[in-house]
Amino acid sequence: MTAKHTTSLLLEIGCEEIPARFLEAAQRDLGDCIAKALAQARLMGESSVAQTYSTPRRLVVHVPSILLKQPARTEEVTGPPVKAAFDSLGNPTRAAESFAAKYGKQVADLRRVTRPKGEYLSLEVSEEGRDTLQVLVEVLPSAIGQLTFPKSMYWTSKSGVRFVRPIRWILALMGEGASAQVIPFEFAGLKSGNETRGHRILGPGGVPVDGFARYAQTLRERGVEFDPQWRRKLLRLFIDASLRTEGTGKTADLARKVFYPAGSLADYIARAEGLQKEMETLPKPVDLTIVTDAELETWHVNSTETPRALVGHFNERFLRLPREVLVTVMRDHQKYFAVEDGEGHLRPCFVAVLNTRTEDESLIKRGHERVLAARFTDAEFFWQADQRVSLRDRAPMLARVIYQEKLGTYADKVNRTLLLCREIFQQLPASLGITSAKKHAALEAIQLCKCDLTTQMVQEFTELQGIVGGLYAQAQGQSAEVAEAIYDHYKPGNMEDSCPRSVVGCLVALSDKLDTVVAGFWAGLDPTGSSDQFGLRRAGNGVVKIAAERLPGLHLDGLAHRHLSTGVGAEPNSPIERRVKDFLQERVEYYLREVVKLRYDTTRAVVNSSLGWSDPSDAVLRGKALESLIDSADYRALSLAAKRTRNILMKSAADEEAGMNHLAPELMKEAEEQSLYDAFTSIQKRLVELEARSDYEAAFRELGGMRQPIDGFFDQVLVMAEQPEVRANRLALLSAINTQVFSRLADLSEVAADDGGAEKAGASENRRGG
């Protein structure tokens, strides 16, 4: 498509400040809605791409190339069934006449077409293409209205438009330069126009633009970097600049080199790259860097339009506080970057990010330093005051802290967790080498791990729960194992997070999380859809991850069964137990697919096997072993054989025959039948030996030896023989193979096979009476 047949689209929705946590999704979703609307309107060319940008005050979509006019189209429209369109005499009914009239045609213009459900009337309808401007006037407000947000507001009326924040202006342009036209429409009581707005302080007020090139230049002249990727780059540059030029006043000079004087986008990029090179020539007073924090960096990118950075300082006495406390106060409460030296030690300074430019930063700097000093003073007081009461002396206080209405206090939770941990001790394999001393340390850590909930530090800085408990335990002389277990017992926070560092910490964390899951289901707090008010999915993921990676040999279904009865007092084999086990199986499947990266069919094969999902570490080993062989010819054939065996047993066996579990070798008359029996008994014995050693790769290779005898059996032996005793014996043989070979380590009938092979096997099965 040539340039004379295309134009461009620029849409900017200006609004009050959008929360940082919503901005990325809002930018993406607006781009998707606009691109979808343009595609449905037949305005997107083959190379058309919707480019999206955002700042806290604007969402932007730029499509450099859209068609100047809709292409014409002809489509076939299906009408009523013929039997409803004509009466018994062949005269058109009201249905036929209405269908024709709807498109300005006569019944004689209609034609008959055959569809899968019968014969229908149809009509070819031609539609001329309209000018793009006319189409955009209709589709843009509709596309904007399709945006949804986790939280939205209304400001015109309760029944009016809802948006993430009140909309203040709309820029909508088609074309570039002299050919640019406003796309006139109204949304949320605002008329679209050709004006954008600069930075709230550095470039207030509206300013007209005539396309994307002028738009980009104008915003950058007025202190707005609208591209999040460039804001991220600028943020990093200014942080580096602030550390290199701290106290010299050069940071503002460097900022002016980027934003002023403005020019083309190429000039702008060149200046930013020049700034980077200039940074590298400036020595730092010492080797200072910010503590890496991608989440905080993204928050600042999404909270600023013109990011700037300055370095502030605090009293060195605060460095006596634990690093975790200092970083949490700076990061979570003040949104500051902590600063460390080359050896990883915190320095008595921080980097604050501003959303403006000022010639004299000293006043702003003193304000940030004053606020942070107050927060650190509070933390210092809490640290000293909390130490006057040991964690052990705080344990009785947990009886006054409510855990959940139906589940009692945190003291009740600690008692349940202790019971569960003792159950876990009974399952632990000797190979883990968990001594009685480690078990004692785990029980000690469980008794103390929730005590920090009664401290002033955690009440003020809730994100430090667990961490503060571990720090206090260490300061109060608890063993390193106990302190570390308390510190880590909320880990892993998600599937990407690491497990607790020690086996003691893993025991404590798994006991705590599994109690959360079991007790939560007992209290009726089951997750539903996107709702998980008690965080049971997060707890369940943690249980599975720890069991799979750090505590092999644990069977989660047995632990859940016993904890439901002894821990929360549920009836054995109750519907609650079924829900808990289904939930844990779902979490294991999620872990195998998303963390271990097993195929979907491998995952289903493993969890639906006789060994099942209950021991996640064992499920991982079996899944990896199966996946290493799953695409081989032997396993594709075995999968088909397993499916066929399962189908025969399900569809063809009478109840008394299917239930037969005694094999009679003397009834095996066919050579292929005897060959299959011999292979089965030999391989099954070998599988038992390999399973005992968890040598699943060798076991699955051994299982491949079943291919030739099972293929020969199905090709030459009629399973459903006329003699009842022969038929029952053959079904019993297939049943034994199904349970002890085909579905023992993994249910091979769940493994996907190629369509050609499946069709061939199905045809063969029909011929042999399977």
Side-chain angles (χ1 to χ4, degrees):
M1 189 67 68
T2 62
K4 67 179 182 179
H5 295 118
T6 62
T7 185
S8 62
L9 169 66
L10 174 62
L11 174 69
E12 178 189 60
I13 303 174
C15 50
E16 299 293 338
E17 278 74 1
I18 300 172
R21 66 186 184 278
F22 297 156
L23 191 61
E24 289 183 358
Q27 173 186 327
R28 180 192 65 241
D29 292 348
L30 178 61
D32 290 345
C33 287
I34 296 298
K36 181 179 179 181
L38 294 176
Q40 291 175 344
R42 311 193 305 281
L43 294 178
M44 294 286 271
E46 293 182 0
S47 60
S48 299
V49 177
Q51 301 169 351
T52 60
Y53 309 96
S54 64
T55 78
R57 297 180 65 217
R58 69 200 76 226
L59 298 172
V60 184
V61 178
H62 175 228
V63 187
S65 175
I66 60 173
L67 302 182
L68 265 174
K69 186 175 182 178
Q70 277 184 322
R73 69 172 176 179
T74 300
E75 64 176 338
E76 185 179 51
V77 181
T78 302
V82 170
K83 62 183 179 182
F86 299 95
D87 60 22
S88 59
L89 300 176
N91 298 315
T93 64
R94 181 65 176 166
E97 293 171 346
S98 297
F99 175 62
K102 179 180 179 181
Y103 295 98
K105 302 291 183 179
Q106 300 297 319
V107 173
D109 298 324
L110 305 179
R111 62 192 183 96
R112 300 187 181 200
V113 295
T114 301
R115 298 284 185 254
K117 293 186 178 181
E119 197 174 18
Y120 288 77
L121 293 182
S122 76
L123 182 67
E124 279 196 351
V125 178
S126 297
E127 180 184 348
E128 289 295 323
R130 295 190 295 159
D131 288 340
T132 293
L133 186 63
Q134 295 176 329
V135 178
L136 292 177
V137 168
E138 298 173 3
V139 303
L140 289 184
S142 174
I144 297 170
Q146 292 174 13
L147 279 179
T148 59
F149 307 93
K151 292 183 179 180
S152 56
M153 302 174 65
Y154 58 84
W155 61 98
T156 56
S157 67
K158 288 187 177 181
S159 60
V161 170
R162 300 182 72 91
F163 208 72
V164 62
R165 287 294 184 268
I167 298 175
R168 296 307 184 208
W169 76 91
I170 300 174
L171 164 68
L173 290 177
M174 186 183 79
E176 193 81 23
S179 66
Q181 303 177 70
V182 171
I183 304 167
F185 64 87
E186 187 171 318
F187 186 82
L190 292 171
K191 292 183 178 180
S192 60
N194 67 342
E195 286 193 355
T196 185
R197 299 186 188 182
H199 189 276
R200 193 181 289 277
I201 297 173
L202 303 178
V207 56
V209 297
D210 59 4
F212 183 74
R214 177 64 63 182
Y215 173 82
Q217 179 176 338
T218 298
L219 285 183
R220 285 164 176 155
E221 287 175 347
R222 292 172 173 263
V224 174
E225 175 47 64
F226 60 91
D227 186 340
Q229 293 184 9
W230 270 97
R231 279 205 307 282
R232 188 179 300 275
K233 185 171 184 178
L234 287 173
L235 176 61
R236 292 173 178 174
L237 288 172
F238 284 126
I239 288 174
D240 191 29
S242 66
L243 292 173
R244 290 180 185 272
T245 62
E246 197 270 319
T248 68
K250 292 183 178 180
T251 309
D253 296 334
L254 294 169
R256 277 191 289 272
K257 291 181 180 180
V258 175
F259 285 106
Y260 306 98
S264 68
L265 180 60
D267 293 337
Y268 179 81
I269 294 173
R271 288 198 301 275
E273 291 176 344
L275 172 60
Q276 176 71 65
K277 293 178 180 178
E278 187 169 346
M279 288 299 95
E280 295 170 358
T281 66
L282 297 175
K284 293 181 183 178
V286 291
D287 188 14
L288 298 180
T289 58
I290 59 169
V291 174
T292 303
D293 193 328
E295 186 177 335
L296 181 59
E297 180 184 83
T298 297
W299 187 91
H300 282 298
V301 168
N302 293 336
S303 299
T304 60
E305 291 195 312
T306 174
R308 292 287 311 286
L310 62 80
V311 176
H313 299 83
F314 57 84
N315 195 306
E316 285 198 38
R317 84 169 195 272
F318 293 126
L319 291 177
R320 293 196 292 266
L321 290 169
R323 177 190 178 100
E324 295 87 344
V325 173
L326 296 174
V327 172
T328 296
V329 172
M330 287 187 274
R331 177 192 190 277
D332 294 347
H333 291 258
Q334 301 304 126
K335 303 300 182 185
Y336 299 158
F337 289 96
V339 177
E340 60 187 4
D341 60 25
E343 296 180 354
H345 300 134
L346 286 185
R347 304 304 302 161
C349 54
F350 61 91
V351 175
V353 177
L354 312 179
N355 187 33
T356 186
R357 186 192 78 249
T358 178
E359 297 297 334
D360 183 8
E361 296 177 346
S362 59
L363 182 63
I364 298 175
K365 176 181 175 181
R366 287 197 298 273
H368 283 289
E369 290 173 341
R370 185 169 60 251
V371 171
L372 185 61
R375 300 295 288 174
F376 279 166
T377 300
D378 289 342
E380 184 181 51
F381 170 79
F382 297 147
W383 176 266
Q384 294 170 353
D386 288 341
Q387 297 296 333
R388 299 183 188 125
V389 182
S390 69
L391 291 179
R392 187 171 301 283
D393 291 338
R394 290 180 179 275
M397 301 179 191
L398 293 176
R400 300 194 296 271
V401 182
I402 298 298
Y403 172 60
Q404 200 276 335
E405 181 182 6
K406 294 181 181 179
L407 297 173
T409 66
Y410 270 95
D412 297 321
K413 177 170 177 58
V414 167
N415 289 333
R416 289 195 306 271
T417 306
L418 286 169
L419 285 173
L420 181 54
C421 191
R422 292 189 177 100
E423 290 285 356
I424 292 173
F425 291 161
Q426 305 304 313
Q427 277 198 25
L428 291 173
S431 59
L432 287 180
I434 300 179
T435 64
S436 58
K438 291 185 182 297
K439 294 178 182 179
H440 176 78
L443 296 176
E444 178 77 3
I446 289 173
Q447 294 179 72
L448 301 178
C449 68
K450 303 299 181 183
C451 292
D452 63 355
L453 297 175
T454 67
T455 65
Q456 295 182 73
M457 184 75 81
V458 168
Q459 290 166 11
E460 180 69 17
F461 307 114
T462 56
E463 52 274 88
L464 286 173
Q465 56 187 291
I467 294 173
V468 162
L471 295 172
Y472 284 179
Q474 183 181 28
Q476 293 167 12
Q478 291 290 337
S479 69
E481 278 190 325
V482 170
E484 192 176 83
I486 296 172
Y487 188 104
D488 287 347
H489 85 278
Y490 285 106
K491 296 172 73 67
N494 52 56
M495 285 297 196
E496 290 72 42
D497 194 11
S498 60
C499 292
R501 291 163 287 178
S502 69
V503 69
V504 173
C506 289
L507 288 168
V508 175
L510 188 141
S511 302
D512 178 56
K513 294 177 191 299
L514 187 54
D515 172 72
T516 297
V517 170
V518 172
F521 273 86
W522 180 84
L525 302 171
D526 312 32
T528 56
S530 60
S531 174
D532 186 11
Q533 58 179 325
F534 216 56
L536 299 190
R537 289 194 186 99
R538 182 174 63 250
N541 288 342
V543 168
V544 171
K545 185 176 176 71
I546 294 171
E549 298 178 12
R550 299 297 304 278
L551 295 176
L554 291 183
H555 288 269
L556 301 182
D557 61 348
L559 288 172
H561 170 79
R562 285 188 288 277
H563 194 53
L564 273 167
S565 59
T566 61
V568 298
E571 291 292 329
N573 303 314
S574 64
I576 296 174
E577 181 171 340
R578 183 69 266 158
R579 299 205 310 274
V580 170
K581 290 184 177 180
D582 287 346
F583 171 79
L584 290 173
Q585 177 179 335
E586 175 191 294
R587 294 298 91 198
V588 172
E589 291 181 20
Y590 178 83
Y591 179 83
L592 293 176
R593 290 195 311 270
E594 303 301 325
V595 179
V596 185
K597 302 299 182 184
L598 296 182
R599 290 172 16 172
Y600 178 82
D601 57 337
T602 306
T603 298
R604 297 295 300 166
V606 167
V607 300
N608 289 326
S609 66
S610 299
L611 294 185
W613 56 269
S614 181
D615 180 353
S617 64
D618 191 69
V620 170
L621 292 176
R622 286 182 282 125
K624 289 181 176 180
L626 175 60
E627 195 137 295
S628 67
L629 300 167
I630 202 170
D631 288 324
S632 66
D634 281 346
Y635 266 83
R636 285 196 296 270
L638 282 176
S639 172
L640 293 171
K643 289 179 171 67
R644 184 175 179 184
T645 300
R646 177 71 57 85
N647 289 338
I648 291 173
L649 294 173
M650 290 178 62
K651 298 178 181 178
S652 303
D655 290 345
E656 64 273 17
E657 294 167 341
M660 182 176 179
N661 55 21
H662 175 67
L663 278 170
E666 66 273 10
L667 294 176
M668 299 178 184
K669 305 300 184 183
E670 305 284 351
E672 292 80 9
E673 186 176 11
Q674 185 64 51
S675 176
L676 177 60
Y677 175 72
D678 292 341
F680 161 65
T681 54
S682 172
I683 290 174
Q684 192 270 340
K685 180 180 179 181
R686 180 68 175 147
L687 290 178
V688 171
E689 297 172 356
L690 295 170
E691 179 187 328
R693 303 202 301 265
S694 298
D695 190 353
Y696 295 124
E697 287 192 20
F700 280 117
R701 284 195 297 271
E702 188 78 23
L703 201 154
M706 286 292 292
R707 177 189 177 181
Q708 188 171 351
I710 194 73
D711 285 349
F713 177 83
F714 280 134
D715 286 341
Q716 302 299 326
V717 177
L718 180 64
V719 177
M720 305 307 291
E722 292 184 4
Q723 301 92 330
E725 65 277 7
V726 174
R727 180 170 67 247
N729 198 54
R730 289 173 181 173
L731 289 170
L733 175 59
L734 290 181
S735 179
I737 292 172
N738 180 59
T739 57
Q740 298 176 47
V741 176
F742 283 161
S743 61
R744 174 67 182 172
L745 306 180
D747 184 351
L748 298 185
S749 68
E750 294 279 1
V751 175
D754 64 277
D755 293 340
E759 291 172 0
K760 181 178 179 181
S764 174
E765 185 173 315
N766 289 334
R767 288 196 305 272
R768 300 303 303 163

